[in-house]
Amino acid sequence: MERTKIKALLELGTSPGQVLVKGWVRTKRDSKDFSFLEINDGSCLANIQVIAGNDLANYEDVQRLTTGSAVGITGELVESPGKGQKWEIQAGSAEVISIAPEDYPLQKKRHSDEFLRSIAHLRPRTNKYGAAFRIRSEMAYAIHKFYRDKGFRYLTSPLITGSDCEGAGEMFRVTSLSPAQVAEDGKMDFGKDFFGQESNLTVSGQLSAEMFALSLGDVYTFGPTFRAENSNTSRHVAEFWMLEPEMAFCDLAGNMDHGEELVKTLVGHAMEHCEADMNLFGKFVDKSLPALLKTLMDEEFARLPYTDAIEILEKSGKKFEFPVAYGIDLQSEHERFLAEEYFKKPVFLINYPREIKPFYMRMNDDEKTVAAMDLLVPRIGELIGGSQREERLDRLEARMDEMNLPKDDYWWYLDSRRYGTAPHSGFGLGFERFLMMITGITNIRDVIPFPRTPGSIDF
RNA sequence: UCCCCAGUAGCUCAGUUGGCAGAGCAAUUGGCUGUUAACCAAUGGGUCCGCGGUUCAAGUCCGUGCUGGGGAGCCA
């Protein structure tokens, strides 16, 4: 008999008669002559209830089943007389696939996130983490679908890069030199290294994406990104996934339109296709989540020049730990005030002072600000960071000189401004931060399967 | 990297002015004819994070290290 997934079973309108399910025992409740088994196979949040009676040939084995054990159950799918579920299975036979011993760490009660993080290999077996990672999977699909529907091309940008000057943060060095060789040479002789020069894990696929946007039109990258920053916060990990669209012939306004449409589409997809899993988060993780999701879907995102933001902050009457003044980079508390208290919805902050932004952002006509945009979201902070790119060769080179960047290393990047340059824009969206936003999960380590953080690379 | 907090049974936690190590859940055993984190009863379970110190006496006070959490910076 062929196995049916529990998700498919629970969606049935009428019973097909005999079915076979395979999964893991979440809990067992015994009566004198029979047991209730709750079986979960990961296909959905819900369990299927199994009634295993003492008429089973191996009932003694069934009684020894513990939480976490793996079983195969064949039996008739019948309407449940009990409350709480539509269907249940009257077991005709039960295969004990494996018994989880008594030291199985997961119990049928609630565990703390901290404890579950220490058993990250087992936590997807819980309701909350199972739901989180089903949603993560579905959102990855939704991203590809969104872009395919819009005619974008998917670019797999390289993970190993040749320059250490992308400027987005500390990088992880990639080398094939052995420690013994380095000791012998008394230094890291990159000439002897695999690529013949220093190489690192990527901090962004943006520069690659720009080359392809100026070739294929609209492209996006979606993949892992690495930062060797010693960041110890609930919003940073050393390895995370970033979505980076890059669009030719697109200005800053178009960039914002695109970001807003993306967020609204993804949230809508989650609510439509992950309803049960999403409801868990609205109910047990963050009661204010449904309201936030509604805001994300229904409200137009605010758009605000940096200069106006400074003015709002200065006039707010709020006492900030870090004083507000034109020219400063906004602190977390400032961003939170704007998104959570002032606008109470996502807000694009645009046109930052040139001094606090990277070389590739397009200089505005005022010569003081650049066409940058950050999307600030309640509770999350910066979800998107992007800009219209500087497409004018002379302006770009001037900026690089200003910031003492080695233009020779960027010869290929500058080529794109020599040959057929055109206005273009793009941004990066932190995939994990997006997942935090739509689930209400407050620690980024809990939306990525096996988090990498300073001093921690178990699993 | 900086600031703050925490570490006691498998898990979640209590432990008073320094004076015998505790509870709930889980586990184990038994009971129960339909349960819903089932219920009832019994039983077992401890490097009080490590190291050093103060003291007649330290889970408790002091120093130090490690681990975890919250916040800040960096940013996605």
Side-chain angles (χ1 to χ4, degrees):
Chain A
M1 191 170 197
E2 202 171 317
R3 168 187 171 219
T4 309
K5 292 206 177 176
I6 291 168
K7 182 181 196 298
L9 272 191
L10 295 176
E11 285 168 357
L12 288 173
T14 56
S15 171
Q18 291 286 310
V19 296
L20 167 62
V21 298
K22 294 189 177 186
W24 295 272
V25 177
R26 279 296 176 78
T27 169
K28 177 167 66 82
R29 295 180 289 272
D30 293 321
S31 281
K32 191 177 181 188
D33 297 323
F34 63 96
S35 301
F36 293 99
L37 302 174
E38 296 271 353
I39 309 296
N40 187 285
D41 67 1
S43 62
C44 60
L45 181 63
N47 307 320
I48 186 101
Q49 174 164 285
V50 171
I51 287 74
N54 61 3
D55 53 330
L56 287 170
N58 58 343
Y59 186 59
E60 280 187 16
D61 293 337
V62 170
Q63 281 186 302
R64 276 199 289 275
L65 283 172
T66 53
T67 299
S69 298
V71 290
I73 302 287
T74 308
E76 191 173 355
L77 187 72
V78 297
E79 287 196 32
S80 175
K83 283 178 188 163
Q85 62 279 318
K86 181 183 178 193
W87 295 112
E88 63 185 26
I89 298 175
Q90 284 284 346
S93 68
E95 179 198 358
V96 176
I97 296 170
S98 69
I99 298 270
E102 64 194 54
D103 59 357
Y104 183 61
L106 290 174
Q107 298 164 13
K108 47 190 164 190
K109 61 165 209 161
R110 198 187 168 281
H111 288 290
S112 68
D113 291 327
E114 290 80 9
F115 171 67
L116 291 171
R117 220 170 281 150
S118 73
I119 50 167
H121 57 308
L122 297 176
R123 65 179 178 170
R125 299 186 188 194
T126 64
N127 284 341
K128 177 176 169 183
Y129 288 87
F133 292 118
R134 275 188 298 273
I135 291 170
R136 184 182 169 106
S137 167
E138 189 62 26
M139 285 301 92
Y141 165 75
I143 283 170
H144 287 298
K145 181 174 189 301
F146 173 78
Y147 282 110
R148 189 170 191 277
D149 290 349
K150 287 183 81 73
F152 279 57
R153 302 301 180 177
Y154 175 43
L155 168 69
T156 54
S157 55
L159 300 188
I160 302 175
T161 66
S163 61
D164 64 351
C165 37
E166 292 186 32
E170 290 296 311
M171 304 179 90
F172 285 105
R173 178 171 294 134
V174 175
T175 182
S176 61
L177 292 174
S178 67
Q181 181 73 60
V182 174
E184 196 185 314
D185 296 343
K187 58 166 183 171
M188 291 199 70
D189 185 348
F190 295 114
K192 289 183 184 170
D193 206 347
F194 187 90
F195 297 106
Q197 67 178 74
E198 190 170 355
S199 48
N200 299 285
L201 291 180
T202 184
V203 292
S204 165
Q206 178 196 321
L207 302 190
S208 305
E210 283 189 54
M211 300 307 101
F212 274 71
L214 295 172
S215 310
L216 305 185
D218 294 327
V219 300
Y220 67 105
T221 73
F222 179 43
T225 309
F226 308 89
R227 304 273 166 91
E229 300 286 347
N230 189 12
S231 295
N232 292 286
T233 80
S234 56
R235 303 182 309 281
H236 294 86
V237 278
E239 176 184 295
F240 64 99
W241 280 58
M242 186 155 64
L243 165 68
E244 296 179 281
E246 193 70 34
M247 297 158 286
F249 313 111
C250 176
D251 62 11
L252 191 68
N255 207 11
M256 286 189 279
D257 291 343
H258 178 81
E260 181 164 350
E261 184 187 354
L262 170 72
V263 170
K264 283 176 156 51
T265 303
L266 294 182
V267 171
H269 187 102
M271 290 171 76
E272 185 181 345
H273 296 279
C274 308
E275 197 184 349
D277 288 329
M278 290 292 285
N279 285 342
L280 177 147
F281 290 102
K283 233 180 181 165
F284 299 116
V285 176
D286 180 359
K287 293 245 193 308
S288 72
L289 191 60
L292 173 66
L293 295 173
K294 193 168 175 354
T295 300
L296 290 171
M297 294 277 288
D298 299 346
E299 300 254 351
E300 203 172 298
F301 296 1
R303 301 179 181 198
L304 184 74
Y306 170 91
T307 312
D308 294 0
I310 294 295
E311 198 174 321
I312 288 173
L313 289 165
E314 282 175 335
K315 287 184 178 165
S316 69
K318 263 204 93 98
K319 257 196 128 177
F320 294 111
E321 191 187 339
F322 296 88
V324 178
Y326 182 91
I328 62 152
D329 209 351
L330 295 184
Q331 305 286 324
S332 281
E333 55 176 344
H334 306 142
E335 297 182 349
R336 294 188 66 137
F337 172 78
L338 290 170
E340 292 173 8
E341 293 184 50
Y342 191 83
F343 288 104
K344 295 188 170 65
K345 64 179 181 180
V347 49
F348 282 107
L349 276 189
I350 60 171
N351 299 336
Y352 283 73
R354 55 190 284 184
E355 289 80 12
I356 56 175
K357 288 293 181 185
F359 74 96
Y360 52 74
M361 294 189 175
R362 191 178 196 277
M363 189 69 65
N364 288 324
D365 291 342
D366 62 12
E367 301 285 335
K368 285 183 188 160
T369 61
V370 291
M373 61 169 228
D374 284 356
L375 179 63
L376 309 180
V377 179
R379 206 187 60 229
I380 304 300
E382 186 176 340
L383 175 69
I384 283 175
S387 65
Q388 181 170 346
R389 318 307 188 187
E390 181 56 80
E391 84 282 11
R392 299 161 296 188
L393 180 64
D394 55 333
R395 311 302 295 270
L396 187 58
E397 288 187 320
R399 280 286 278 162
M400 292 178 76
D401 287 338
E402 217 174 279
M403 299 171 108
N404 284 319
L405 289 171
K407 278 184 297 195
D408 288 352
D409 289 0
Y410 288 93
W411 64 272
W412 52 275
Y413 185 74
L414 293 170
D415 260 8
S416 67
R417 274 62 168 175
R418 281 189 192 101
Y419 310 120
T421 192
H424 60 288
S425 299
F427 60 78
L429 175 145
F431 188 46
E432 284 77 19
R433 293 205 181 156
F434 178 81
L435 293 172
M436 291 169 73
M437 179 180 75
I438 64 168
T439 58
I441 288 175
T442 52
N443 194 312
I444 196 169
R445 298 173 180 97
D446 297 335
V447 294
I448 191 164
F450 298 105
R452 275 76 178 93
T453 52
S456 166
I457 191 166
D458 287 341
F459 313 105

